[in-house]
Amino acid sequence: MRTKLLFTASLLAASAHAQNRLPPGMRPPGCTAGLQLPTGFCATVFAQGVPGARHIVVAPNGDVFVNTDAARGGGAGGIVALRDTNQDGKSDVQQRFGATGGTGIALHENYLYATSGNSIVRYRIATGSLTPTGKPDTIVSGLPMTGSHHSHNFVLNGRALYVNVGSASNACQQRDRQTESRGNNPCIELQTRAGIWQFDASRLRQRPTDGTRFATGLRNSVALARNPFDGGLYATVHGRDQLHDNWPNLFTVEKSAENPGEELVRVDRGADYGWPYCYHDVDRRSLVLAPEYGGDGQRTGQCSSKTQALMAFPGHWAPNGMLFYTGGQFPPEYRGGAFVAFHGSWNRAPLPQAGFRVAFAPFRLNRPIGSFTTFADGFNPTPAPGRSGAGTHRPVGLAQGPDGSLYITDDTGGTIWKVSYRPNSLSPDFGGSRPR
């Protein structure tokens, strides 16, 4: 199978072998705590033993707050607050509050917003404090938890609260994930799932029916972020699974392993991005009609009227975090671009599993330019056709510190890395390349 990369203009596919190979010129520097980074960058372990670490936010004073998922953290959940008191790059104070936890987290003035199970709550945090004052306020409750996707991450923009409500199913089939089961037409899931809903961040005790559907046709937008350079909302979306498993007469196992592409989109009010009727084909570089709705891998049908991706990444990488870089510490070419954290695949067999990395897509205002590159790698040292094995780290959350450093969480190993640019303190073997 030919090795390809997906570009903004060309959106070509990448083979699994190329996806797991370190890009030319990159090698692990001596100070990278096991990660492989471009020239001049150094990763240190900021914290360990934070199981289920999902999304992360850093306060102006450098305190770090992490939302942890009880289901992924061995029973522990809630908010973990971390502080580095001696400025050695490692947290030495840890506090925990809250209960169930989840994926989304954000700071606004003296409030910390966080997902907690099927709710989004708000804690009052005094300046310089690691723990809240009083009990949390409930902003929204009753968010759907059935089916495959229930990571209700969100973006806060003033009084606007944009919440990801992922689909309950893989492709809205009459029998979910079953061979040659047709799609429900229309897909009634779209009335309450598979989109972004907008709520009022200052209003308490809202229910899902109090929100308005902002955009639809987005299967699961765990990597959701606001671009401060244009004010827009962007997402890198989990694509569907099991083209071959469900439609073996239409798709080879190799085609299914490489498709669909994980789409990076600008989320505009009222836009429809096509799920479940469409998916992004990495060879055709556009949306095509899903087999559940009469597609054969070639037909476009109604998908020609859906909103297309700005960029696509290889299939099944599972994007879980996105951050637009605004700092001044990294070299100028990173400013304004998007970092995307990929959790890694589980369903690319017989090809090796892939993803397990942080990628970087350069932007000019509201559009990616050129190709994406791998920024941080080495999270999955032994990729294999089956599910990832022991020793694998799975990136989820990204946050920018007040000094311009980049924080990366791992919900499997419970590690939090801090990536800094240190061009004058490199070991002799520190090699690599920057995005162009």
Side-chain angles (χ1 to χ4, degrees):
M1 180 171 288
R2 291 188 303 168
T3 300
K4 302 178 182 178
L5 288 177
L6 295 174
F7 296 95
T8 303
S10 60
L11 300 180
L12 301 176
S15 76
H17 296 289
Q19 292 156 15
N20 286 285
R21 187 173 62 239
L22 194 64
M26 288 180 68
R27 64 179 78 99
C31 64
T32 56
L35 299 188
Q36 300 154 353
L37 299 162
T39 299
F41 288 90
C42 176
T44 56
V45 174
F46 179 76
Q48 290 180 303
V50 189
R54 299 287 281 177
H55 285 174
I56 179 172
V57 66
V58 185
N61 70 346
D63 289 342
V64 173
F65 297 88
V66 185
N67 201 351
T68 66
D69 188 335
R72 299 174 184 273
I79 308 301
V80 174
L82 303 163
R83 177 174 288 170
D84 173 11
T85 60
N86 58 9
Q87 303 300 307
D88 67 350
K90 297 181 180 179
S91 67
D92 45 59
V93 176
Q94 181 179 129
Q95 299 286 340
R96 183 183 289 271
F97 57 92
T100 306
T103 298
I105 194 166
L107 277 168
H108 179 64
E109 296 176 345
N110 285 92
Y111 287 107
L112 178 76
Y113 290 74
T115 302
S116 179
N118 70 350
S119 302
I120 295 174
V121 300
R122 182 181 70 181
Y123 299 92
R124 179 177 286 276
I125 306 283
T127 301
S129 177
L130 287 176
T131 54
T133 302
K135 295 182 179 180
D137 299 320
T138 298
I139 305 300
V140 184
S141 64
L143 294 167
M145 299 291 285
T146 58
S148 299
H149 306 124
H150 34 79
S151 295
H152 299 301
N153 52 289
F154 56 87
V155 165
L156 189 63
N157 185 18
R159 289 188 56 172
L161 179 68
Y162 300 100
V163 180
N164 167 47
V165 184
S167 68
S169 65
N170 176 39
C172 204
Q173 290 172 285
Q174 296 171 16
R175 293 176 292 113
D176 190 33
R177 299 180 185 269
Q178 298 301 305
T179 304
E180 297 186 352
S181 176
R182 295 291 176 181
N184 291 298
N185 197 4
C187 177
I188 60 173
E189 274 192 54
L190 294 171
Q191 297 175 12
T192 57
R193 307 287 291 261
I196 306 299
W197 265 255
Q198 182 178 345
F199 296 88
D200 185 340
S202 64
R203 179 183 168 193
L204 303 184
R205 296 180 292 278
Q206 296 171 88
R207 302 289 294 177
T209 52
D210 295 312
T212 58
R213 189 174 64 182
F214 185 80
T216 192
L218 297 163
R219 181 173 175 269
N220 193 25
S221 304
V222 186
L224 183 68
R226 178 178 175 270
N227 182 349
F229 294 93
D230 74 347
L233 192 64
Y234 290 78
T236 307
V237 188
H238 285 230
R240 59 159 301 156
D241 303 319
Q242 299 170 302
L243 286 171
H244 170 75
D245 291 350
N246 292 348
W247 302 93
N249 293 328
L250 295 176
F251 303 96
T252 65
V253 290
E254 292 81 9
K255 180 73 174 183
S256 185
E258 298 284 8
N259 281 275
E262 311 282 46
E263 299 174 272
L264 193 162
V265 299
R266 177 180 164 117
V267 183
D268 293 318
R269 185 182 298 276
D272 183 346
Y273 298 86
W275 183 92
Y277 309 108
C278 314
Y279 69 90
H280 183 95
D281 185 277
V282 298
D283 298 310
R284 295 176 64 87
R285 310 165 200 169
S286 65
L287 294 174
V288 297
L289 193 64
E292 290 79 10
Y293 297 92
D296 58 2
Q298 303 294 321
R299 295 179 58 196
T300 300
Q302 62 178 292
C303 304
S304 59
S305 65
K306 307 299 184 183
T307 303
Q308 301 283 335
L310 300 175
M311 173 181 278
F313 297 89
H316 313 299
W317 277 19
N320 273 6
M322 185 158 63
L323 169 78
F324 286 89
Y325 187 75
T326 62
Q329 182 189 128
F330 289 8
E333 55 265 40
Y334 288 93
R335 185 170 174 82
F339 289 99
V340 182
F342 291 95
H343 203 227
S345 66
W346 60 268
N347 55 345
R348 290 180 54 89
L351 303 183
Q353 301 304 332
F356 310 96
R357 68 188 63 202
V358 176
F360 177 75
F363 263 66
R364 182 174 293 126
L365 295 179
N366 63 351
R367 296 194 68 84
I369 54 174
S371 65
F372 73 85
T373 57
T374 293
F375 177 76
D377 207 345
F379 298 94
N380 183 19
T382 55
R387 290 178 181 261
S388 55
T392 297
H393 298 279
R394 306 193 75 179
V396 178
L398 300 171
Q400 181 181 306
D403 64 350
S405 295
L406 179 70
Y407 290 78
I408 306 169
T409 69
D410 152 39
D411 70 354
T412 300
T415 304
I416 300 170
W417 290 270
K418 182 179 181 179
V419 178
S420 304
Y421 185 62
R422 302 178 183 177
N424 298 319
S425 60
L426 309 181
S427 62
D429 68 343
F430 203 119
S433 59
R434 298 181 190 167
R436 291 175 172 84

